[in-house]
Amino acid sequence: MDIKTRIRLVSPKMKQVSTITIAQVTDMHLFASEQQQLLGISTTESFHAVVERLKKLREELDLLLLTGDLSGDGTPQSYGNLQNLLSPLFLPSYWIPGNNDDFATMNGALNLGLVSRRKCFERGGWNFILLDSSVAGKINGYLRDETLKWLDLQLSLIVDKPTAIALHHPPFKINSRWLDRTSLRNPEEFFAVLDKYPHVRLVFFGHIHQEFYSQRRGVDYLGTPSTCVQFQPGSKKFALDNKPPGFRLMKLYPNGTWESWVERVPYSHAVELTATGY
């Protein structure tokens, strides 16, 4: 489905309503050493290419959502590198951990300037809730009982605004056998909470290094490419795609409608076809 055109036809009245535009940036896999590579790609260089594109969009953007695997080694230096790369954007930035992140380290490091560790906030008539689906030492995701209870509470407190939820791991199978083994392990518990609240409109995630769309009970689910290596859609075994790095742009209207599309950046690299450390 061409998500970009799903609600491109908007009424003149809707066009007069203020909107919020956000960029979802995910799976950067930055390292302590800026020279270190992941599967043949310099993750620092590829993320820098994304940042350069975001700079050109700066006047259009309201905030950044960083949806996990920000680091490839969980080191304080890697998060320091991220802070330095984000600083020229001068944009409020919010983050969640992925399976390659170290939450305790990032929680201490990523709370400077416009980078915030808040996990629930309101912007442009939308409520945002950010969830930690990471499990220490595991690739797959899981939402703990306390996380689900907190989500339920937050959704019950604000019922008059459309809500977007972010987590790192996909709650759906994406028709890729090897990746599906690493998805969210308890999606039905997650859905049981969401099904209680019709103001939930969007759920977005990373982890899969590719574009994805699905809908369930009126909620739209969006997966987003990585800023470094891309995984081949529909693959039974580990396989890389030759598409360039990317990120997602979303325009959200206060009435709960939205537009979204993926942008790719002109960064070319030779891929290595051996899976190591994912």
Side-chain angles (χ1 to χ4, degrees):
M1 176 182 291
D2 184 358
I3 301 172
K4 187 174 181 179
T5 61
R6 287 187 66 250
I7 57 167
R8 277 295 188 188
L9 298 177
V10 296
S11 67
K13 182 178 180 181
M14 186 186 298
K15 289 181 180 179
Q16 297 171 9
V17 178
S18 61
T19 64
I20 181 173
T21 302
I22 69 177
Q24 181 198 1
V25 182
T26 193
D27 295 86
M28 293 84 95
H29 292 266
L30 299 176
F31 296 99
S33 170
E34 296 185 3
Q35 283 71 49
Q36 188 167 342
Q37 296 184 346
L38 175 68
L39 300 170
I41 186 173
S42 168
T43 59
T44 298
E45 289 183 2
S46 63
F47 183 53
H48 180 74
V50 168
V51 169
E52 288 302 303
R53 175 57 182 155
L54 291 171
K55 283 182 182 178
K56 296 179 180 179
L57 299 170
R58 171 66 185 83
E59 297 304 316
E60 304 174 32
L61 297 174
D62 295 288
L63 61 91
L64 299 180
L65 289 177
L66 314 174
T67 52
D69 279 1
L70 315 187
S71 173
D73 56 15
T75 60
Q77 294 90 337
S78 65
Y79 298 118
N81 293 338
L82 174 61
Q83 285 270 181
N84 292 335
L85 287 162
L86 290 176
S87 59
L89 294 173
F90 299 103
L91 284 169
S93 301
Y94 301 85
W95 56 267
I96 51 177
N99 49 283
N100 283 287
D101 287 307
D102 184 286
F103 178 77
T105 301
M106 67 195 309
N107 199 45
L110 297 178
N111 193 38
L112 300 172
L114 292 175
V115 179
S116 173
R117 58 189 177 196
R118 290 180 61 192
K119 298 297 180 276
C120 186
F121 57 93
E122 187 273 333
R123 290 289 188 281
W126 280 67
N127 191 40
F128 293 84
I129 301 175
L130 313 185
L131 303 177
D132 179 4
S133 62
S134 65
V135 181
K138 302 289 185 181
I139 299 177
N140 62 270
Y142 188 84
L143 292 173
R144 293 172 285 276
D145 287 344
E146 56 266 32
T147 301
L148 291 167
K149 290 177 182 178
W150 179 80
L151 171 63
D152 199 347
L153 174 62
Q154 297 305 316
L155 289 173
S156 70
L157 292 175
I158 303 177
V159 298
D160 60 341
K161 291 183 176 65
T163 296
I165 295 172
L167 71 166
H168 180 67
H169 294 83
F172 288 103
K173 292 185 177 180
I174 64 165
N175 193 34
S176 182
R177 186 181 300 170
W178 73 277
L179 264 177
D180 287 339
R181 292 196 294 265
T182 73
S183 61
L184 190 70
R185 287 293 176 86
N186 57 336
E188 294 306 321
E189 294 176 35
F190 178 50
F191 295 146
V193 176
L194 300 194
D195 290 346
K196 296 163 59 176
Y197 300 101
H199 57 289
V200 176
R201 302 297 175 85
L202 276 174
V203 175
F204 31 79
F205 51 88
H207 190 65
I208 60 174
H209 291 230
Q210 61 192 267
E211 188 172 354
F212 178 83
Y213 170 78
S214 186
Q215 187 181 71
R216 179 189 177 277
R217 297 194 180 183
V219 180
D220 295 298
Y221 294 78
L222 302 173
T224 297
S226 165
T227 67
C228 57
V229 297
Q230 309 302 307
F231 297 150
Q232 189 175 99
S235 57
K236 294 181 180 179
K237 298 181 180 180
F238 175 85
L240 296 181
D241 202 345
N242 60 4
K243 289 182 180 178
F247 60 96
R248 180 178 293 282
L249 290 172
M250 286 173 278
K251 184 176 291 186
L252 309 181
Y253 296 86
N255 64 2
T257 57
W258 57 274
E259 301 175 65
S260 181
W261 60 98
V262 164
E263 289 217 6
R264 303 277 181 173
V265 298
Y267 180 85
S268 60
H269 62 284
V271 299
E272 295 178 359
L273 298 180
T274 303
T276 55
Y278 185 75

